[in-house]
Amino acid sequence: MLIQYKTRRRIKSIAIYLVLVIVVIIAIFPFYWLVSMSLKTRADTFMMPPKWIFHPTFSNYWEVFSHTTKGSFSEFYKNSVVIGFSTMLVALIIGVPAGYSLARLKLPGKKDLSFLVLTMRMAPPIGVIIPLFLMMQRFGLIDTYPGLILIYLTFNLPFVVWMMRGFFKEIPIELEEAAMLDGCSRLGAFRFILPLVSPGLMATAIMCLIFTWNEFFYALIMTGKNTKTAPVAITSFMRHMGIEWGHMTAAGFSIVIPVIVFTLLVQKNLVRGLTMGAVKK
Amino acid sequence: MPKFSYSWEKKYLGFLLILPVLLIFVIIAIYPFLFSIYISLFDWWLIRPQKPFVGFENFVRFVTDQKTLRSLVNTLALAGTVVSAQFGIGLGIALALNYKLRFRGLFVSMLIVPMVMAPVIIGIIWKVMLNDVYGVLNYLLSFVWTPPTGGYQWLTNPRTALATVMIVDVWQWTPFMALILLAGLMSLSKEHSEAAKIDGASELQIFLHVTLPLLKPVILVGLLIRTIDVLKIFDKVYIMTQGGPGILTQTITFRGFMIAFRFLRVSYGAAIGLILNIIIIVVAQVFIKLLGREAFQ
C-alpha cells in the first residue's frame, strides 16, 4: 500500500518534470534557432534537412557590424542605445518625484489622478500616434531624437510614476517621520528614503529601457534615416538584401541579448512591472 | 525659517513634484486626445490641401467599410482565442511549477525568454522557422505528417494564416500567464486546502472550489492585461503577414496604420484609433469593476 503510494508519487513527479522540460524546450527553441542561424554560413542556412551540427562562424556579425558609415546597422543600433537611455533618464527624473508625491504627499484628487496614470498606460498606440504625428510634423520633430523620446514618454512616464508610487508606499512611513523630526525638510526626507527604494528604482529603470528598446510601432512611423532604431532597421534588411537570414538573425540576436541579460537582473520584479503592480512576488 | 518652509511644503510640495508630469501629460496625452476627436470629424487626407467637415462620417465608415470591419472581427477573434488558450495552458504550467520542484528557478528563467524578446525579432525568427522550403518547423512536422505539394505555407495559406499568428502570440505570452498564476498559487496559504482535505474533498474538488476562487483576482489581472495587449496587436502581423493573405490577418491597429500612414487618410485613421480606445476602455472598465480599483496598488 505504502509502496504503491510512493511509486505513484514518483511517476507523477517524473511526469511533471517531463511536461515542464517539453514546455521549456518549446519556449526557448526559437531563441536557440536565432542563435544557431546567426552562426551559420550562408550555405548552411539553406540546408535541408537543417544542419544541427555545424562549424560556427562569426562572419555574419562581422558583416553586420563592421560598417560604421551612415545608414549601416551599427548606426541604427547606436540610435537605439541613445534613445533607450535618454527616455529612461527623462522618465525617471520627471516620474520619480511624482510617484513620491502620489504615495506620500497632500494632493487634491490624488486617487483619481493615480487612476488616470494607470489608464494612460493602456491607451492604444494607433490612437496616440496620429494626433502626435501631426503635431510633431508641424514642429519639425519627425525623425529627431526629442520627438521619439517624447512619444516614448507616453507609456514610460505612467509606468515610472505608477511603479515608484508602489515602491515608495512599501517603505515604512515612520522612517521619514523620524528624519523629519530630526530636522529634515520634506524634500530632505525624500532624499533620505531614496536609497531605500533603489532596488525598485533599478527594476523600474531597466524595464523602461527594455520597453523602449523593443518598441517597434512608434519607431516605424516616427523615424527616418537619422533616428531609425535597430528593430526598424532590421526590417529593411528583409527587403534590400533579399533574405539574408544569417545577417538578419545576427542583427536580431544583437537586439535580443542585452534584454535577456537585463531581464535576469530584474527577474524578481518583472511580473510586478508587467502587471502594473497588481501581482507582486 | 524651518516653520515657514514646513507649512509651505505641506501645502504645495505634493503639487509641485507632480506638476512636470501633468504638463507633459497635457502635451502628449490630453491635447492629442482632444485633437484626434477634432480631426476625426473632417475628411483630411495628408496629400490634399482641403479638409471638409464631415461630422460622424468616419465613424459610420468604420462599420460600413468591409475591410475595417474585417479587421475588427479578426482582432476580436484573436483576443478571444489567444487569451483563453494562454489562460488554459498557463494554468497547467503554473500548477506543474507549483509542485515541490528542483530547478524551479531555472525553469522560470527560461520561460521568461519569449516574453522579453522584441516582437519584431519574434516575427522574424518564426517567419524563418515557418518558411515553406527551408523552415525547420516544416522539416520537423514532415516526420509525422506528409506535407501537401508545395510544402506547408502557414502564413500565406488563407486557412492557416490567422491561426499561425495566434499560435505565435500564444507561444510568446503563455509564460506570462503561467508566471502570474504561479505567483498567485504560491501566495495562497495551505490552510484552506488542508481544511478541505480533512473534510474529505478530492484534489479536483479542492482545486475547483477552493484554489480557483482564491485565485480569482490574479486570474482577472492576467486576463485584463493580455486582452488589452492583444487588442492592440501590430508588430507580429506587420512582420509575418503584412495583414495578408488579402486582408485575412489585418488587425485594427494594422488597418489604422495602413489608412493613416499608407493611404494618408489621417481623419479616418483617427476615428479608428478612437474606436479602439473606446473598446479598450470598456473592456478595462468591466475587468476593473470585477476586480476593484484597489487591486492595482
Side-chain angles (χ1 to χ4, degrees), chain B residues 14-30:
Chain B
F15 181 67
L16 211 64
L17 289 185
I18 206 168
L19 188 64
V21 169
L22 294 181
L23 285 178
I24 291 196
F25 279 180
V26 169
I27 299 170
I28 63 177
I30 295 162

PDB file of all heavy atoms in Angstrom, chain B residues 14-30:
ATOM      1  N   GLY B  14       3.526  68.612  -2.748  1.00  0.00           N
ATOM      2  CA  GLY B  14       2.904  67.495  -3.462  1.00  0.00           C
ATOM      3  C   GLY B  14       2.541  67.884  -4.879  1.00  0.00           C
ATOM      4  O   GLY B  14       2.831  67.151  -5.833  1.00  0.00           O
ATOM      5  N   PHE B  15       1.963  69.047  -5.022  1.00  0.00           N
ATOM      6  CA  PHE B  15       1.551  69.524  -6.334  1.00  0.00           C
ATOM      7  C   PHE B  15       2.758  69.844  -7.207  1.00  0.00           C
ATOM      8  O   PHE B  15       2.809  69.525  -8.392  1.00  0.00           O
ATOM      9  CB  PHE B  15       0.660  70.750  -6.169  1.00  0.00           C
ATOM     10  CG  PHE B  15       0.170  71.305  -7.460  1.00  0.00           C
ATOM     11  CD1 PHE B  15      -0.718  70.585  -8.252  1.00  0.00           C
ATOM     12  CD2 PHE B  15       0.618  72.540  -7.906  1.00  0.00           C
ATOM     13  CE1 PHE B  15      -1.158  71.090  -9.455  1.00  0.00           C
ATOM     14  CE2 PHE B  15       0.181  73.049  -9.123  1.00  0.00           C
ATOM     15  CZ  PHE B  15      -0.711  72.325  -9.891  1.00  0.00           C
ATOM     16  N   LEU B  16       3.760  70.458  -6.554  1.00  0.00           N
ATOM     17  CA  LEU B  16       4.954  70.874  -7.286  1.00  0.00           C
ATOM     18  C   LEU B  16       5.693  69.679  -7.888  1.00  0.00           C
ATOM     19  O   LEU B  16       6.168  69.724  -9.019  1.00  0.00           O
ATOM     20  CB  LEU B  16       5.879  71.633  -6.335  1.00  0.00           C
ATOM     21  CG  LEU B  16       6.735  72.715  -6.973  1.00  0.00           C
ATOM     22  CD1 LEU B  16       5.861  73.813  -7.544  1.00  0.00           C
ATOM     23  CD2 LEU B  16       7.710  73.273  -5.945  1.00  0.00           C
ATOM     24  N   LEU B  17       5.781  68.605  -7.112  1.00  0.00           N
ATOM     25  CA  LEU B  17       6.534  67.441  -7.587  1.00  0.00           C
ATOM     26  C   LEU B  17       5.837  66.751  -8.754  1.00  0.00           C
ATOM     27  O   LEU B  17       6.475  66.107  -9.575  1.00  0.00           O
ATOM     28  CB  LEU B  17       6.751  66.437  -6.447  1.00  0.00           C
ATOM     29  CG  LEU B  17       7.722  66.843  -5.350  1.00  0.00           C
ATOM     30  CD1 LEU B  17       7.920  65.710  -4.357  1.00  0.00           C
ATOM     31  CD2 LEU B  17       9.059  67.264  -5.925  1.00  0.00           C
ATOM     32  N   ILE B  18       4.518  66.862  -8.817  1.00  0.00           N
ATOM     33  CA  ILE B  18       3.807  66.148  -9.868  1.00  0.00           C
ATOM     34  C   ILE B  18       3.530  67.053 -11.070  1.00  0.00           C
ATOM     35  O   ILE B  18       3.148  66.577 -12.139  1.00  0.00           O
ATOM     36  CB  ILE B  18       2.499  65.532  -9.301  1.00  0.00           C
ATOM     37  CG1 ILE B  18       2.101  64.309 -10.140  1.00  0.00           C
ATOM     38  CG2 ILE B  18       1.373  66.541  -9.244  1.00  0.00           C
ATOM     39  CD1 ILE B  18       1.025  63.490  -9.504  1.00  0.00           C
ATOM     40  N   LEU B  19       3.786  68.351 -10.884  1.00  0.00           N
ATOM     41  CA  LEU B  19       3.473  69.310 -11.947  1.00  0.00           C
ATOM     42  C   LEU B  19       4.132  68.980 -13.298  1.00  0.00           C
ATOM     43  O   LEU B  19       3.449  68.999 -14.326  1.00  0.00           O
ATOM     44  CB  LEU B  19       3.844  70.729 -11.485  1.00  0.00           C
ATOM     45  CG  LEU B  19       3.393  71.852 -12.415  1.00  0.00           C
ATOM     46  CD1 LEU B  19       1.869  71.892 -12.487  1.00  0.00           C
ATOM     47  CD2 LEU B  19       3.939  73.191 -11.947  1.00  0.00           C
ATOM     48  N   PRO B  20       5.431  68.656 -13.324  1.00  0.00           N
ATOM     49  CA  PRO B  20       6.043  68.354 -14.630  1.00  0.00           C
ATOM     50  C   PRO B  20       5.339  67.201 -15.351  1.00  0.00           C
ATOM     51  O   PRO B  20       5.129  67.261 -16.567  1.00  0.00           O
ATOM     52  CB  PRO B  20       7.476  67.943 -14.262  1.00  0.00           C
ATOM     53  CG  PRO B  20       7.726  68.515 -12.921  1.00  0.00           C
ATOM     54  CD  PRO B  20       6.408  68.586 -12.223  1.00  0.00           C
ATOM     55  N   VAL B  21       4.951  66.184 -14.576  1.00  0.00           N
ATOM     56  CA  VAL B  21       4.255  65.057 -15.188  1.00  0.00           C
ATOM     57  C   VAL B  21       2.923  65.519 -15.780  1.00  0.00           C
ATOM     58  O   VAL B  21       2.576  65.160 -16.907  1.00  0.00           O
ATOM     59  CB  VAL B  21       4.030  63.931 -14.154  1.00  0.00           C
ATOM     60  CG1 VAL B  21       3.075  62.887 -14.691  1.00  0.00           C
ATOM     61  CG2 VAL B  21       5.358  63.280 -13.790  1.00  0.00           C
ATOM     62  N   LEU B  22       2.207  66.340 -15.037  1.00  0.00           N
ATOM     63  CA  LEU B  22       0.919  66.817 -15.536  1.00  0.00           C
ATOM     64  C   LEU B  22       1.102  67.627 -16.818  1.00  0.00           C
ATOM     65  O   LEU B  22       0.354  67.455 -17.784  1.00  0.00           O
ATOM     66  CB  LEU B  22       0.220  67.668 -14.465  1.00  0.00           C
ATOM     67  CG  LEU B  22      -0.197  66.904 -13.204  1.00  0.00           C
ATOM     68  CD1 LEU B  22      -0.890  67.832 -12.220  1.00  0.00           C
ATOM     69  CD2 LEU B  22      -1.103  65.733 -13.556  1.00  0.00           C
ATOM     70  N   LEU B  23       2.110  68.490 -16.828  1.00  0.00           N
ATOM     71  CA  LEU B  23       2.352  69.301 -18.030  1.00  0.00           C
ATOM     72  C   LEU B  23       2.632  68.402 -19.226  1.00  0.00           C
ATOM     73  O   LEU B  23       2.081  68.591 -20.310  1.00  0.00           O
ATOM     74  CB  LEU B  23       3.537  70.247 -17.799  1.00  0.00           C
ATOM     75  CG  LEU B  23       3.244  71.450 -16.905  1.00  0.00           C
ATOM     76  CD1 LEU B  23       4.498  72.286 -16.697  1.00  0.00           C
ATOM     77  CD2 LEU B  23       2.135  72.296 -17.525  1.00  0.00           C
ATOM     78  N   ILE B  24       3.485  67.400 -19.018  1.00  0.00           N
ATOM     79  CA  ILE B  24       3.818  66.505 -20.131  1.00  0.00           C
ATOM     80  C   ILE B  24       2.603  65.703 -20.574  1.00  0.00           C
ATOM     81  O   ILE B  24       2.369  65.501 -21.767  1.00  0.00           O
ATOM     82  CB  ILE B  24       5.006  65.601 -19.746  1.00  0.00           C
ATOM     83  CG1 ILE B  24       6.249  66.478 -19.654  1.00  0.00           C
ATOM     84  CG2 ILE B  24       5.197  64.483 -20.753  1.00  0.00           C
ATOM     85  CD1 ILE B  24       7.528  65.757 -19.661  1.00  0.00           C
ATOM     86  N   PHE B  25       1.792  65.277 -19.609  1.00  0.00           N
ATOM     87  CA  PHE B  25       0.570  64.549 -19.971  1.00  0.00           C
ATOM     88  C   PHE B  25      -0.346  65.414 -20.833  1.00  0.00           C
ATOM     89  O   PHE B  25      -0.971  64.920 -21.763  1.00  0.00           O
ATOM     90  CB  PHE B  25      -0.181  64.098 -18.714  1.00  0.00           C
ATOM     91  CG  PHE B  25       0.379  62.852 -18.099  1.00  0.00           C
ATOM     92  CD1 PHE B  25      -0.186  62.318 -16.947  1.00  0.00           C
ATOM     93  CD2 PHE B  25       1.459  62.200 -18.676  1.00  0.00           C
ATOM     94  CE1 PHE B  25       0.324  61.164 -16.374  1.00  0.00           C
ATOM     95  CE2 PHE B  25       1.978  61.044 -18.111  1.00  0.00           C
ATOM     96  CZ  PHE B  25       1.410  60.538 -16.951  1.00  0.00           C
ATOM     97  N   VAL B  26      -0.424  66.698 -20.499  1.00  0.00           N
ATOM     98  CA  VAL B  26      -1.265  67.580 -21.310  1.00  0.00           C
ATOM     99  C   VAL B  26      -0.741  67.613 -22.743  1.00  0.00           C
ATOM    100  O   VAL B  26      -1.495  67.506 -23.705  1.00  0.00           O
ATOM    101  CB  VAL B  26      -1.309  69.005 -20.707  1.00  0.00           C
ATOM    102  CG1 VAL B  26      -1.953  69.983 -21.693  1.00  0.00           C
ATOM    103  CG2 VAL B  26      -2.091  68.984 -19.398  1.00  0.00           C
ATOM    104  N   ILE B  27       0.588  67.699 -22.881  1.00  0.00           N
ATOM    105  CA  ILE B  27       1.171  67.805 -24.223  1.00  0.00           C
ATOM    106  C   ILE B  27       1.073  66.489 -25.001  1.00  0.00           C
ATOM    107  O   ILE B  27       0.735  66.487 -26.178  1.00  0.00           O
ATOM    108  CB  ILE B  27       2.660  68.223 -24.143  1.00  0.00           C
ATOM    109  CG1 ILE B  27       2.776  69.582 -23.466  1.00  0.00           C
ATOM    110  CG2 ILE B  27       3.284  68.264 -25.527  1.00  0.00           C
ATOM    111  CD1 ILE B  27       4.199  69.959 -23.133  1.00  0.00           C
ATOM    112  N   ILE B  28       1.363  65.363 -24.339  1.00  0.00           N
ATOM    113  CA  ILE B  28       1.448  64.116 -25.104  1.00  0.00           C
ATOM    114  C   ILE B  28       0.226  63.218 -24.963  1.00  0.00           C
ATOM    115  O   ILE B  28       0.151  62.185 -25.600  1.00  0.00           O
ATOM    116  CB  ILE B  28       2.717  63.290 -24.743  1.00  0.00           C
ATOM    117  CG1 ILE B  28       2.683  62.851 -23.284  1.00  0.00           C
ATOM    118  CG2 ILE B  28       3.975  64.046 -25.082  1.00  0.00           C
ATOM    119  CD1 ILE B  28       3.852  61.989 -22.884  1.00  0.00           C
ATOM    120  N   ALA B  29      -0.746  63.585 -24.137  1.00  0.00           N
ATOM    121  CA  ALA B  29      -1.898  62.700 -23.995  1.00  0.00           C
ATOM    122  C   ALA B  29      -3.225  63.444 -24.105  1.00  0.00           C
ATOM    123  O   ALA B  29      -4.053  63.118 -24.955  1.00  0.00           O
ATOM    124  CB  ALA B  29      -1.822  61.950 -22.669  1.00  0.00           C
ATOM    125  N   ILE B  30      -3.422  64.450 -23.279  1.00  0.00           N
ATOM    126  CA  ILE B  30      -4.753  65.046 -23.220  1.00  0.00           C
ATOM    127  C   ILE B  30      -5.043  65.899 -24.457  1.00  0.00           C
ATOM    128  O   ILE B  30      -6.063  65.712 -25.128  1.00  0.00           O
ATOM    129  CB  ILE B  30      -4.908  65.853 -21.915  1.00  0.00           C
ATOM    130  CG1 ILE B  30      -4.837  64.865 -20.744  1.00  0.00           C
ATOM    131  CG2 ILE B  30      -6.207  66.631 -21.884  1.00  0.00           C
ATOM    132  CD1 ILE B  30      -4.547  65.489 -19.417  1.00  0.00           C
TER     133      ILE B  30
END
